Amino acid sequence: MATIVKRPKRDGSFSYLARIRIARTGQPDYSESKTFPKKAMASEWAKRRELELAAPGGVLSAKWKGVTLHDAIERYLHEFADGAGRSKRATIEQLRRFPIARVKITELSSDQLIDHIQMRRRSGVKASTASLDMTWLGIILKTAVAAWRMPVNLNEFESAKLLLTSKGLISRPASRDRRPTADEIERLRAYFVRSLKIRPSAIIPMEDIMDFAIASARRQEEITRLNWDDLDTEAMTCWVRDAKHPRQKWGNHKRFKLTHEAMAIVQRQPRKKDEPRIFPYYARSIGTRWRAATESKGVEDLRFHDLRHEATSRLFEAGYEIVEVQQFTLHESWDVLKRYTHLRPETLQLR
């Protein structure tokens, strides 16, 4: 129901307040108002808004009329991003700084999404990086619909994603097959040994950590979470706490098999009082040391995570079967495991 209220102003003129109130069974009444200098303008607006609000979903759309994508991102970070890793959270937070974040979420269209990705590609990012933007935009928009009942048109998002994929503007990251050569490993080892001699009390034992990663197939963060109490020297196993999983972020504890080389590296680590971890260092610090070493020694395009590929490949080259390799690497399936397997023909033994 719409009402028009005449209000006097200080200069003796009048303004007209148009107010609309809609009663809803089982829900709070909905109301909105707007002030106009003329009664005719107030009446015209009230009639138009009554028709818009009477349409299916009209009241719901009105609730979120001023909400921007930036607002939705902020709410998502507050309510659902607690378990997100550092890189994932940084990607989400970065979206707030782009022009698309200022768009009202109920008005977000496919052409605006396409413009955003084209802008990102012109700035020099790869298709896989631009794809991350679309992935998180999709997650946020779908969360807005499912959790907050925002009237977002997901068809606009899906249409944009389909076109961007077909044009190659977004794509999945290419599978890496980088394995370090024996020469590269020795150059890095020499760098780590020299660093340890210069500052023995302040430097992370990167030679042992690199060798352990190759011998155990453990990720950078996992290495720093291994505890002495979880180590079984007789069974040659150890538990990794909160192992990486696509859906289960916490509590995914798994036991893995250690090679003889990995066990030897563990047993020569000094045990510190009141320190439960075998490698009591920060994963970020390990990454910093790794990048410094590869840059100093001219080892190009070799990430610490590539050592997991190296470890997996070596296990197969040593003659282990798929189900046996999984006991070391903890890959869930062969489909995932094969992405980490890059065998070298010269290492295969003819039967």
Side-chain angles (χ1 to χ4, degrees), residues 134-168:
M134 283 298 288
T135 296
W136 284 111
L137 284 169
I139 290 172
I140 290 163
L141 293 175
K142 290 170 185 176
T143 300
V145 172
W148 309 322
R149 297 189 60 78
M150 290 185 183
V152 177
N153 189 344
L154 293 178
N155 288 332
E156 293 288 315
F157 172 79
E158 295 299 337
S159 296
K161 184 178 178 181
L162 185 63
L163 184 139
L164 291 166
T165 302
S166 67
K167 298 299 182 182

mmCIF file of all heavy atoms in Angstrom, residues 134-168:
data_model
loop_
_atom_site.group_PDB
_atom_site.id
_atom_site.type_symbol
_atom_site.label_atom_id
_atom_site.label_comp_id
_atom_site.label_asym_id
_atom_site.label_seq_id
_atom_site.Cartn_x
_atom_site.Cartn_y
_atom_site.Cartn_z
ATOM 1 N N MET A 134 37.560 -16.173 -11.711
ATOM 2 C CA MET A 134 36.213 -16.664 -12.023
ATOM 3 C C MET A 134 35.774 -17.730 -11.028
ATOM 4 O O MET A 134 34.606 -17.784 -10.638
ATOM 5 C CB MET A 134 36.175 -17.223 -13.444
ATOM 6 C CG MET A 134 36.128 -16.157 -14.527
ATOM 7 S SD MET A 134 34.641 -15.112 -14.440
ATOM 8 C CE MET A 134 33.380 -16.257 -15.016
ATOM 9 N N THR A 135 36.706 -18.568 -10.603
ATOM 10 C CA THR A 135 36.362 -19.609 -9.629
ATOM 11 C C THR A 135 35.836 -18.989 -8.347
ATOM 12 O O THR A 135 34.776 -19.380 -7.828
ATOM 13 C CB THR A 135 37.591 -20.477 -9.317
ATOM 14 O OG1 THR A 135 37.985 -21.173 -10.501
ATOM 15 C CG2 THR A 135 37.287 -21.484 -8.216
ATOM 16 N N TRP A 136 36.557 -18.000 -7.817
ATOM 17 C CA TRP A 136 36.141 -17.384 -6.555
ATOM 18 C C TRP A 136 34.921 -16.487 -6.714
ATOM 19 O O TRP A 136 34.085 -16.402 -5.813
ATOM 20 C CB TRP A 136 37.308 -16.629 -5.926
ATOM 21 C CG TRP A 136 38.268 -17.578 -5.296
ATOM 22 C CD1 TRP A 136 39.532 -17.884 -5.699
ATOM 23 C CD2 TRP A 136 38.018 -18.396 -4.144
ATOM 24 N NE1 TRP A 136 40.089 -18.839 -4.889
ATOM 25 C CE2 TRP A 136 39.185 -19.167 -3.914
ATOM 26 C CE3 TRP A 136 36.935 -18.545 -3.289
ATOM 27 C CZ2 TRP A 136 39.285 -20.078 -2.861
ATOM 28 C CZ3 TRP A 136 37.033 -19.458 -2.234
ATOM 29 C CH2 TRP A 136 38.194 -20.202 -2.033
ATOM 30 N N LEU A 137 34.804 -15.821 -7.861
ATOM 31 C CA LEU A 137 33.592 -15.043 -8.106
ATOM 32 C C LEU A 137 32.382 -15.967 -8.110
ATOM 33 O O LEU A 137 31.331 -15.643 -7.549
ATOM 34 C CB LEU A 137 33.710 -14.294 -9.438
ATOM 35 C CG LEU A 137 34.599 -13.051 -9.433
ATOM 36 C CD1 LEU A 137 34.854 -12.574 -10.852
ATOM 37 C CD2 LEU A 137 33.976 -11.941 -8.598
ATOM 38 N N GLY A 138 32.534 -17.132 -8.742
ATOM 39 C CA GLY A 138 31.438 -18.095 -8.772
ATOM 40 C C GLY A 138 31.077 -18.599 -7.387
ATOM 41 O O GLY A 138 29.901 -18.721 -7.035
ATOM 42 N N ILE A 139 32.096 -18.899 -6.582
ATOM 43 C CA ILE A 139 31.848 -19.379 -5.214
ATOM 44 C C ILE A 139 31.116 -18.320 -4.398
ATOM 45 O O ILE A 139 30.157 -18.622 -3.676
ATOM 46 C CB ILE A 139 33.178 -19.760 -4.540
ATOM 47 C CG1 ILE A 139 33.750 -21.027 -5.188
ATOM 48 C CG2 ILE A 139 33.001 -19.966 -3.037
ATOM 49 C CD1 ILE A 139 35.147 -21.383 -4.743
ATOM 50 N N ILE A 140 31.544 -17.073 -4.515
ATOM 51 C CA ILE A 140 30.924 -15.986 -3.752
ATOM 52 C C ILE A 140 29.484 -15.751 -4.211
ATOM 53 O O ILE A 140 28.573 -15.581 -3.385
ATOM 54 C CB ILE A 140 31.772 -14.707 -3.876
ATOM 55 C CG1 ILE A 140 33.084 -14.895 -3.112
ATOM 56 C CG2 ILE A 140 31.012 -13.491 -3.338
ATOM 57 C CD1 ILE A 140 34.156 -13.895 -3.473
ATOM 58 N N LEU A 141 29.254 -15.755 -5.518
ATOM 59 C CA LEU A 141 27.905 -15.533 -6.030
ATOM 60 C C LEU A 141 26.959 -16.672 -5.631
ATOM 61 O O LEU A 141 25.803 -16.435 -5.250
ATOM 62 C CB LEU A 141 27.939 -15.390 -7.555
ATOM 63 C CG LEU A 141 28.661 -14.144 -8.089
ATOM 64 C CD1 LEU A 141 28.729 -14.191 -9.611
ATOM 65 C CD2 LEU A 141 27.968 -12.867 -7.628
ATOM 66 N N LYS A 142 27.452 -17.902 -5.696
ATOM 67 C CA LYS A 142 26.619 -19.050 -5.314
ATOM 68 C C LYS A 142 26.356 -19.059 -3.807
ATOM 69 O O LYS A 142 25.283 -19.477 -3.362
ATOM 70 C CB LYS A 142 27.286 -20.353 -5.762
ATOM 71 C CG LYS A 142 27.271 -20.519 -7.284
ATOM 72 C CD LYS A 142 28.146 -21.679 -7.750
ATOM 73 C CE LYS A 142 28.190 -21.737 -9.274
ATOM 74 N NZ LYS A 142 29.097 -22.799 -9.764
ATOM 75 N N THR A 143 27.332 -18.597 -3.035
ATOM 76 C CA THR A 143 27.125 -18.465 -1.586
ATOM 77 C C THR A 143 26.068 -17.409 -1.301
ATOM 78 O O THR A 143 25.228 -17.587 -0.412
ATOM 79 C CB THR A 143 28.445 -18.079 -0.890
ATOM 80 O OG1 THR A 143 29.421 -19.104 -1.131
ATOM 81 C CG2 THR A 143 28.245 -17.925 0.619
ATOM 82 N N ALA A 144 26.100 -16.315 -2.060
ATOM 83 C CA ALA A 144 25.112 -15.246 -1.873
ATOM 84 C C ALA A 144 23.704 -15.757 -2.115
ATOM 85 O O ALA A 144 22.755 -15.379 -1.417
ATOM 86 C CB ALA A 144 25.427 -14.088 -2.821
ATOM 87 N N VAL A 145 23.557 -16.648 -3.098
ATOM 88 C CA VAL A 145 22.230 -17.213 -3.399
ATOM 89 C C VAL A 145 21.811 -18.219 -2.343
ATOM 90 O O VAL A 145 20.696 -18.162 -1.806
ATOM 91 C CB VAL A 145 22.234 -17.877 -4.796
ATOM 92 C CG1 VAL A 145 20.934 -18.638 -5.032
ATOM 93 C CG2 VAL A 145 22.429 -16.825 -5.884
ATOM 94 N N ALA A 146 22.706 -19.151 -2.017
ATOM 95 C CA ALA A 146 22.344 -20.257 -1.122
ATOM 96 C C ALA A 146 22.272 -19.850 0.348
ATOM 97 O O ALA A 146 21.346 -20.252 1.060
ATOM 98 C CB ALA A 146 23.354 -21.396 -1.292
ATOM 99 N N ALA A 147 23.250 -19.065 0.806
ATOM 100 C CA ALA A 147 23.333 -18.746 2.233
ATOM 101 C C ALA A 147 22.612 -17.464 2.622
ATOM 102 O O ALA A 147 22.095 -17.351 3.727
ATOM 103 C CB ALA A 147 24.802 -18.659 2.650
ATOM 104 N N TRP A 148 22.587 -16.487 1.699
ATOM 105 C CA TRP A 148 22.023 -15.181 2.060
ATOM 106 C C TRP A 148 20.761 -14.835 1.264
ATOM 107 O O TRP A 148 20.199 -13.761 1.450
ATOM 108 C CB TRP A 148 23.080 -14.096 1.841
ATOM 109 C CG TRP A 148 24.393 -14.410 2.480
ATOM 110 C CD1 TRP A 148 24.587 -15.012 3.683
ATOM 111 C CD2 TRP A 148 25.701 -14.162 1.936
ATOM 112 N NE1 TRP A 148 25.936 -15.151 3.932
ATOM 113 C CE2 TRP A 148 26.642 -14.640 2.894
ATOM 114 C CE3 TRP A 148 26.174 -13.571 0.767
ATOM 115 C CZ2 TRP A 148 28.018 -14.556 2.685
ATOM 116 C CZ3 TRP A 148 27.533 -13.474 0.563
ATOM 117 C CH2 TRP A 148 28.440 -13.965 1.514
ATOM 118 N N ARG A 149 20.375 -15.749 0.376
ATOM 119 C CA ARG A 149 19.158 -15.570 -0.439
ATOM 120 C C ARG A 149 19.161 -14.267 -1.233
ATOM 121 O O ARG A 149 18.138 -13.607 -1.420
ATOM 122 C CB ARG A 149 17.901 -15.647 0.447
ATOM 123 C CG ARG A 149 17.721 -17.010 1.106
ATOM 124 C CD ARG A 149 16.391 -17.142 1.801
ATOM 125 N NE ARG A 149 15.264 -16.975 0.890
ATOM 126 C CZ ARG A 149 14.824 -17.898 0.047
ATOM 127 N NH1 ARG A 149 15.424 -19.085 -0.018
ATOM 128 N NH2 ARG A 149 13.796 -17.665 -0.742
ATOM 129 N N MET A 150 20.332 -13.905 -1.718
ATOM 130 C CA MET A 150 20.416 -12.743 -2.593
ATOM 131 C C MET A 150 19.945 -13.139 -3.990
ATOM 132 O O MET A 150 20.280 -14.229 -4.478
ATOM 133 C CB MET A 150 21.859 -12.216 -2.660
ATOM 134 C CG MET A 150 22.358 -11.573 -1.397
ATOM 135 S SD MET A 150 24.015 -10.852 -1.639
ATOM 136 C CE MET A 150 24.368 -10.264 0.015
ATOM 137 N N PRO A 151 19.204 -12.293 -4.667
ATOM 138 C CA PRO A 151 18.668 -12.631 -5.994
ATOM 139 C C PRO A 151 19.699 -12.426 -7.099
ATOM 140 O O PRO A 151 19.545 -11.589 -7.997
ATOM 141 C CB PRO A 151 17.488 -11.661 -6.138
ATOM 142 C CG PRO A 151 17.904 -10.472 -5.349
ATOM 143 C CD PRO A 151 18.685 -10.995 -4.174
ATOM 144 N N VAL A 152 20.774 -13.195 -7.046
ATOM 145 C CA VAL A 152 21.823 -13.107 -8.061
ATOM 146 C C VAL A 152 21.446 -13.957 -9.258
ATOM 147 O O VAL A 152 20.966 -15.084 -9.104
ATOM 148 C CB VAL A 152 23.172 -13.591 -7.480
ATOM 149 C CG1 VAL A 152 24.256 -13.562 -8.543
ATOM 150 C CG2 VAL A 152 23.563 -12.738 -6.281
ATOM 151 N N ASN A 153 21.662 -13.436 -10.451
ATOM 152 C CA ASN A 153 21.372 -14.188 -11.663
ATOM 153 C C ASN A 153 22.597 -15.037 -12.021
ATOM 154 O O ASN A 153 23.521 -14.563 -12.685
ATOM 155 C CB ASN A 153 21.033 -13.226 -12.811
ATOM 156 C CG ASN A 153 20.509 -13.970 -14.035
ATOM 157 O OD1 ASN A 153 20.662 -15.188 -14.155
ATOM 158 N ND2 ASN A 153 19.892 -13.248 -14.942
ATOM 159 N N LEU A 154 22.587 -16.288 -11.575
ATOM 160 C CA LEU A 154 23.733 -17.166 -11.824
ATOM 161 C C LEU A 154 23.871 -17.541 -13.293
ATOM 162 O O LEU A 154 24.955 -17.956 -13.733
ATOM 163 C CB LEU A 154 23.614 -18.429 -10.966
ATOM 164 C CG LEU A 154 23.745 -18.225 -9.451
ATOM 165 C CD1 LEU A 154 23.564 -19.537 -8.721
ATOM 166 C CD2 LEU A 154 25.077 -17.592 -9.092
ATOM 167 N N ASN A 155 22.811 -17.407 -14.063
ATOM 168 C CA ASN A 155 22.901 -17.685 -15.495
ATOM 169 C C ASN A 155 23.878 -16.726 -16.179
ATOM 170 O O ASN A 155 24.555 -17.093 -17.144
ATOM 171 C CB ASN A 155 21.525 -17.566 -16.153
ATOM 172 C CG ASN A 155 20.613 -18.721 -15.765
ATOM 173 O OD1 ASN A 155 21.077 -19.817 -15.465
ATOM 174 N ND2 ASN A 155 19.311 -18.475 -15.753
ATOM 175 N N GLU A 156 23.933 -15.485 -15.681
ATOM 176 C CA GLU A 156 24.867 -14.506 -16.236
ATOM 177 C C GLU A 156 26.308 -14.972 -16.002
ATOM 178 O O GLU A 156 27.152 -14.868 -16.888
ATOM 179 C CB GLU A 156 24.644 -13.137 -15.592
ATOM 180 C CG GLU A 156 23.320 -12.482 -15.937
ATOM 181 C CD GLU A 156 23.288 -11.992 -17.374
ATOM 182 O OE1 GLU A 156 24.273 -11.380 -17.825
ATOM 183 O OE2 GLU A 156 22.267 -12.235 -18.049
ATOM 184 N N PHE A 157 26.569 -15.500 -14.814
ATOM 185 C CA PHE A 157 27.908 -16.004 -14.500
ATOM 186 C C PHE A 157 28.262 -17.201 -15.386
ATOM 187 O O PHE A 157 29.357 -17.262 -15.955
ATOM 188 C CB PHE A 157 27.997 -16.400 -13.027
ATOM 189 C CG PHE A 157 29.276 -17.109 -12.684
ATOM 190 C CD1 PHE A 157 30.448 -16.404 -12.489
ATOM 191 C CD2 PHE A 157 29.307 -18.495 -12.567
ATOM 192 C CE1 PHE A 157 31.640 -17.061 -12.189
ATOM 193 C CE2 PHE A 157 30.481 -19.151 -12.265
ATOM 194 C CZ PHE A 157 31.655 -18.434 -12.073
ATOM 195 N N GLU A 158 27.335 -18.156 -15.502
ATOM 196 C CA GLU A 158 27.613 -19.358 -16.289
ATOM 197 C C GLU A 158 27.808 -19.016 -17.766
ATOM 198 O O GLU A 158 28.652 -19.610 -18.435
ATOM 199 C CB GLU A 158 26.467 -20.363 -16.129
ATOM 200 C CG GLU A 158 26.323 -20.917 -14.714
ATOM 201 C CD GLU A 158 27.553 -21.669 -14.228
ATOM 202 O OE1 GLU A 158 28.340 -22.146 -15.074
ATOM 203 O OE2 GLU A 158 27.743 -21.777 -13.000
ATOM 204 N N SER A 159 27.049 -18.052 -18.275
ATOM 205 C CA SER A 159 27.207 -17.637 -19.678
ATOM 206 C C SER A 159 28.581 -17.025 -19.904
ATOM 207 O O SER A 159 29.251 -17.315 -20.905
ATOM 208 C CB SER A 159 26.118 -16.629 -20.060
ATOM 209 O OG SER A 159 24.841 -17.218 -19.985
ATOM 210 N N ALA A 160 29.008 -16.179 -18.974
ATOM 211 C CA ALA A 160 30.327 -15.554 -19.095
ATOM 212 C C ALA A 160 31.428 -16.602 -19.021
ATOM 213 O O ALA A 160 32.384 -16.579 -19.806
ATOM 214 C CB ALA A 160 30.503 -14.517 -17.988
ATOM 215 N N LYS A 161 31.292 -17.543 -18.098
ATOM 216 C CA LYS A 161 32.309 -18.584 -17.929
ATOM 217 C C LYS A 161 32.427 -19.440 -19.183
ATOM 218 O O LYS A 161 33.537 -19.795 -19.611
ATOM 219 C CB LYS A 161 31.950 -19.454 -16.725
ATOM 220 C CG LYS A 161 32.985 -20.515 -16.393
ATOM 221 C CD LYS A 161 32.575 -21.298 -15.160
ATOM 222 C CE LYS A 161 33.579 -22.394 -14.838
ATOM 223 N NZ LYS A 161 33.159 -23.183 -13.653
ATOM 224 N N LEU A 162 31.301 -19.778 -19.779
ATOM 225 C CA LEU A 162 31.298 -20.602 -20.993
ATOM 226 C C LEU A 162 32.031 -19.899 -22.131
ATOM 227 O O LEU A 162 32.857 -20.495 -22.827
ATOM 228 C CB LEU A 162 29.855 -20.909 -21.397
ATOM 229 C CG LEU A 162 29.664 -21.849 -22.583
ATOM 230 C CD1 LEU A 162 30.227 -23.230 -22.260
ATOM 231 C CD2 LEU A 162 28.190 -21.967 -22.945
ATOM 232 N N LEU A 163 31.738 -18.606 -22.320
ATOM 233 C CA LEU A 163 32.384 -17.872 -23.407
ATOM 234 C C LEU A 163 33.876 -17.696 -23.139
ATOM 235 O O LEU A 163 34.698 -17.893 -24.046
ATOM 236 C CB LEU A 163 31.718 -16.505 -23.582
ATOM 237 C CG LEU A 163 32.270 -15.681 -24.768
ATOM 238 C CD1 LEU A 163 31.145 -14.987 -25.515
ATOM 239 C CD2 LEU A 163 33.292 -14.652 -24.299
ATOM 240 N N LEU A 164 34.230 -17.348 -21.920
ATOM 241 C CA LEU A 164 35.635 -17.135 -21.581
ATOM 242 C C LEU A 164 36.456 -18.405 -21.763
ATOM 243 O O LEU A 164 37.604 -18.363 -22.217
ATOM 244 C CB LEU A 164 35.749 -16.639 -20.132
ATOM 245 C CG LEU A 164 35.220 -15.229 -19.866
ATOM 246 C CD1 LEU A 164 35.077 -14.982 -18.364
ATOM 247 C CD2 LEU A 164 36.136 -14.183 -20.489
ATOM 248 N N THR A 165 35.856 -19.546 -21.420
ATOM 249 C CA THR A 165 36.548 -20.831 -21.602
ATOM 250 C C THR A 165 36.727 -21.141 -23.081
ATOM 251 O O THR A 165 37.807 -21.561 -23.513
ATOM 252 C CB THR A 165 35.760 -21.958 -20.917
ATOM 253 O OG1 THR A 165 35.599 -21.660 -19.521
ATOM 254 C CG2 THR A 165 36.477 -23.294 -21.063
ATOM 255 N N SER A 166 35.682 -20.932 -23.864
ATOM 256 C CA SER A 166 35.736 -21.249 -25.296
ATOM 257 C C SER A 166 36.747 -20.373 -26.034
ATOM 258 O O SER A 166 37.340 -20.798 -27.029
ATOM 259 C CB SER A 166 34.348 -21.083 -25.930
ATOM 260 O OG SER A 166 33.942 -19.722 -25.931
ATOM 261 N N LYS A 167 36.946 -19.151 -25.544
ATOM 262 C CA LYS A 167 37.900 -18.234 -26.178
ATOM 263 C C LYS A 167 39.313 -18.363 -25.605
ATOM 264 O O LYS A 167 40.228 -17.658 -26.039
ATOM 265 C CB LYS A 167 37.420 -16.788 -26.011
ATOM 266 C CG LYS A 167 36.077 -16.488 -26.681
ATOM 267 C CD LYS A 167 36.125 -16.719 -28.175
ATOM 268 C CE LYS A 167 34.794 -16.378 -28.829
ATOM 269 N NZ LYS A 167 34.812 -16.657 -30.297
ATOM 270 N N GLY A 168 39.496 -19.251 -24.639
ATOM 271 C CA GLY A 168 40.818 -19.459 -24.069
ATOM 272 C C GLY A 168 41.280 -18.355 -23.139
ATOM 273 O O GLY A 168 42.459 -18.286 -22.789
#
